[in-house]
Amino acid sequence: MLATKAFGMGIDIDDIEVVIHFAPTGNVCDYVQEIGRAARRKNLKGTARYHYDKKDFKYINRLHGLSAIKKYQLISVVQKIYELYKLNKKSNLLLDAENFAYIFENRNDENSSVNKVKTALLMIQRDFEAKYGFSPISVRPIPLFAEGYFEVRPLIQRKLCADYGDCLEEVESIRHICRVNLKKIWRKDYPQKTFPQFKYLLYSRSEELDFNKRYSLNPALCVTINFEANFYTKFKVLWKAFKDFVKESIPSRKNLSIDDMVKNLVDNCGVNKYKAQSICEIIMASMSAYARLNSRSIHRMFGEKTFAGGNIKYFFTVTVNSYFWRVEQLTREIVDGTQENKFYLLNITGNTAKEYSAMLGILEAMGALSFDMSGGANSQIFVHINQIGNLKNILNNRGQYRNRILDTVTERHQTSVDTLTRIFEGNFSSAEIWDLLENYFLGIKDR
C-alpha cells in the first residue's frame, strides 16, 4: 500500500509487516506512530525501513517554518489589538477573526488562518499568565456573529420585514447595504438546525436552505477605517522603497530573502527592523495569495529557492508589476470608497474581498491606517483588555519580547529534527534506535 502521511496514519490493518519511509517524517512523535502501523498482530515481526537524503531535513525545516507561528506574527497581533482598542475606545472587544487573518495568510488552507489567530491570542495570554500570574488580555472564542451585513434590494427589504418583523436596518443607501439580525430569522424558521449550520448554508447560498430561494441577499463585510493624518506619505514612501528594491532585482534574477527586504526598508525608510519585517512578511503573503488567485491569467511572478537551514529566497519576474499595479488600485478604491469611516465589501465569499483584506493589512502594518471588520461568516473572538500598558510595552520594545511558549515549540522541533537526523545517519542497531527514542520521550538528553 502506498500512502501519504495523512492517509497512512489512519491505516488500521493488523497484518502489515514492513513500513517504508521514502523520506523522514517531520518529528519523532509522528515517526513512532507511523512505524507503529507494523506488526499489530501478536505473532508478526515488523520492520521499519527508510530512504534518507541529507537534503530532506532542509524541506522539513521549511515546512515547519510555513506552519509555525512566528514572533513577528505575535507582535503583529498585539499591534492589531492595540489599534482596535484605540479605534473602538473600549476594553471589551467583540472581534471578527478576519481582522487578524492577513497576518497568517495560508496558501493551502484558509481555515488554518483563523485557527492560527485563536492560537496566537491564547499563546500571548498563557505566556503572560505563566510569567506574571496575570495577562493584559483575556481571550475567549464564542459563537458566530448574530448579525450580518448584506446588500438587500428595497423590495426584498420590505418582504423580509413583513415575514420577520424588524429584522434589518439599511446602513448605506447607495448600494442598499443592510445590517440583518440573523438570529431572529433562524429562531423563527430554522431552529431544527444549529445557528452555525444555518449561517453556513446562508453564506454559501446553498439550495438546501429554502430561505436562499425566497430572498436574494448578497453577503457583505463592514469595515471601520481610521486613516492616519499622513496616510499617503507613509504608504508612498514604504511602498516605493519595497517596489523599487524588488524591480531592481529582476534583470539579474537576484535572489532576495525577507531579511534583504527588511534591511532595505530599515536603511531607506528609517523604520525599525521589527516593523519592517512585519511589512515585508505581510506583503509577501499578499503577493502569494494574489499569484494563487490569478494563476490562470498571469505567468509566475516569483519563484522560491530553499537554502541550508530552510532559509527561503525569492527571485522575481516582470509579471510582479501586475501585483504592484493591483495594490495601488486597491489603495485608491479603499480611500475613495470610505464614507464616514465605513467601507463595505460585497461578495465576501469571492476572491475580491480577500484582496481588500490583505491590502488593509499592508496599510495597517505600514502605520497608514487602522481597521475593524465585522459581520462576516467567521466566528467571533471576545478580547477583554485588562491593562493596555503591557501591550504598549511590547510594541515599544519589540526586540526584547519573548514568548516562552513559542520558544518551547521551536526548541522541541529542533530537538526532534536532531534526534531523527542522528537515528537516520548513525548506523545504529535496532536496539540502539529504540533506546534513543525512549530517551527522547523520557526527556533524557543523549551525549
Side-chain angles (χ1 to χ4, degrees):
M1 179 178 289
L2 180 66
T4 64
K5 171 179 174 177
F7 178 66
M9 291 287 279
I11 293 172
D12 188 17
I13 303 171
D14 66 359
D15 62 350
I16 294 173
E17 294 185 66
V18 182
V19 173
I20 303 174
H21 277 85
F22 180 71
T25 191
N27 59 72
V28 174
C29 296
D30 285 356
Y31 179 70
V32 171
Q33 288 189 61
E34 288 160 16
I35 65 176
R37 307 293 119 174
R40 291 193 165 190
R41 187 179 294 175
K42 186 175 181 180
N43 296 323
L44 284 182
K45 180 180 179 180
T47 303
R49 302 180 185 274
Y50 54 84
H51 293 274
Y52 171 71
D53 188 289
K54 286 182 178 293
K55 295 178 181 178
D56 289 332
F57 283 104
K58 176 176 71 174
Y59 297 103
I60 286 175
N61 284 326
R62 180 185 174 189
L63 290 171
H64 174 74
L66 290 173
S67 62
I69 291 174
K70 303 174 182 64
K71 175 182 170 179
Y72 90 88
Q73 292 174 322
L74 294 181
I75 294 174
S76 295
V77 168
V78 172
Q79 180 74 56
K80 182 64 184 175
I81 293 173
Y82 182 65
E83 296 297 336
L84 289 169
Y85 171 79
K86 291 195 299 182
L87 190 64
N88 291 280
K89 297 179 173 61
K90 57 184 181 181
S91 297
N92 291 325
L93 301 174
L94 195 55
L95 307 173
D96 191 324
E98 189 67 33
N99 278 295
F100 303 87
Y102 68 89
I103 301 171
F104 303 99
E105 195 279 335
N106 186 294
R107 62 186 70 182
N108 298 315
D109 183 2
E110 294 179 15
N111 292 327
S112 175
S113 296
V114 175
N115 291 332
K116 281 189 174 181
V117 170
K118 297 175 182 177
T119 300
L121 286 165
L122 289 171
M123 284 176 72
I124 294 167
Q125 176 181 326
R126 300 301 185 211
D127 181 61
F128 267 102
E129 290 172 345
K131 288 178 183 174
Y132 309 113
F134 78 98
S135 173
I137 60 170
S138 300
V139 181
R140 182 163 56 93
I142 62 174
L144 304 181
F145 275 109
E147 294 184 329
Y149 289 88
F150 298 86
E151 180 186 36
V152 188
R153 308 309 298 173
L155 180 63
I156 302 298
Q157 288 186 37
R158 291 191 289 272
K159 186 178 178 182
L160 273 170
C161 289
D163 292 345
Y164 295 100
D166 186 17
C167 66
L168 61 80
E169 175 190 3
E170 187 174 274
V171 294
E172 199 258 54
S173 59
I174 297 175
R175 291 175 294 174
H176 304 291
I177 307 295
C178 297
R179 182 168 53 242
V180 181
N181 188 327
L182 299 176
K183 274 205 169 172
K184 197 166 190 177
I185 297 170
W186 168 68
R187 282 173 177 157
K188 182 176 184 293
D189 282 350
Y190 304 98
Q192 72 278 10
K193 300 182 184 297
T194 66
F195 183 63
Q197 286 174 335
F198 164 75
K199 193 170 182 183
Y200 171 77
L201 294 172
L202 175 65
Y203 274 86
S204 61
R205 302 184 184 184
S206 170
E207 293 186 359
E208 183 182 335
L209 192 71
D210 65 340
F211 181 89
N212 292 326
K213 301 175 185 177
R214 293 185 286 131
Y215 308 96
S216 178
L217 274 63
N218 186 16
L221 270 172
C222 174
V223 188
T224 303
I225 300 178
N226 179 47
F227 293 99
E228 296 297 325
N230 54 351
F231 165 81
Y232 270 120
T233 301
K234 286 188 174 182
F235 169 67
K236 287 182 178 179
V237 169
L238 289 162
W239 183 245
K240 185 178 186 303
F242 182 89
K243 183 171 72 170
D244 289 350
F245 186 64
V246 168
K247 291 176 74 171
E248 287 169 5
S249 74
I250 293 174
S252 63
R253 288 175 68 87
K254 180 181 178 182
N255 295 316
L256 301 178
S257 68
I258 291 292
D259 288 342
D260 295 330
M261 300 175 199
V262 168
K263 187 176 186 303
N264 168 59
L265 292 189
V266 171
D267 292 345
N268 292 294
C269 303
V271 296
N272 67 62
K273 69 175 183 179
Y274 300 102
K275 180 175 180 178
Q277 183 180 13
S278 178
I279 292 169
C280 293
E281 293 273 10
I282 289 169
I283 290 176
M284 287 307 301
S286 166
M287 192 184 295
S288 296
Y290 178 81
R292 185 174 67 253
L293 295 173
N294 295 278
S295 60
R296 293 184 179 180
S297 59
I298 61 173
H299 296 294
R300 186 170 67 164
M301 296 191 305
F302 64 91
E304 300 178 9
K305 290 186 177 180
T306 305
F307 294 85
N311 187 31
I312 300 172
K313 291 192 175 185
Y314 306 89
F315 60 89
F316 297 88
T317 71
V318 293
T319 315
V320 76
N321 286 315
S322 68
Y323 169 75
F324 292 145
W325 176 85
R326 182 60 174 157
V327 165
E328 290 156 10
Q329 179 191 42
L330 288 171
T331 303
R332 289 191 296 270
E333 291 178 5
I334 288 170
V335 174
D336 295 342
T338 302
Q339 303 294 327
E340 297 180 352
N341 296 104
K342 299 291 183 184
F343 182 77
Y344 294 96
L345 286 171
L346 293 173
N347 298 309
I348 61 172
T349 54
N351 295 331
T352 303
K354 296 174 186 176
E355 287 189 295
Y356 279 106
S357 177
M359 188 64 243
L360 287 164
I362 292 171
L363 292 170
E364 185 167 78
M366 291 179 171
L369 57 73
S370 56
F371 71 95
D372 182 7
M373 286 186 170
S374 60
N378 288 325
S379 59
Q380 295 169 288
I381 299 174
F382 174 78
V383 179
H384 174 71
I385 300 174
N386 303 309
Q387 200 171 52
I388 196 65
N390 291 86
L391 301 183
K392 290 177 69 175
N393 286 339
I394 292 175
L395 300 176
N396 292 333
N397 302 279
R398 299 178 188 223
Q400 283 70 50
Y401 175 67
R402 289 190 62 190
N403 187 291
R404 294 181 185 178
I405 299 173
L406 182 62
D407 291 343
T408 300
V409 170
T410 303
E411 182 183 347
R412 285 177 179 172
H413 167 73
Q414 193 56 54
T415 301
S416 183
V417 167
D418 291 344
T419 301
L420 284 176
T421 303
R422 191 174 180 204
I423 287 172
F424 293 143
E425 293 183 348
N427 294 318
F428 295 110
S429 67
S430 180
E432 288 171 329
I433 288 176
W434 280 116
D435 286 340
L436 286 169
L437 291 173
E438 286 181 5
N439 287 344
Y440 172 84
F441 286 107
L442 291 171
I444 300 173
K445 292 186 178 181
D446 294 292
R447 296 179 180 178

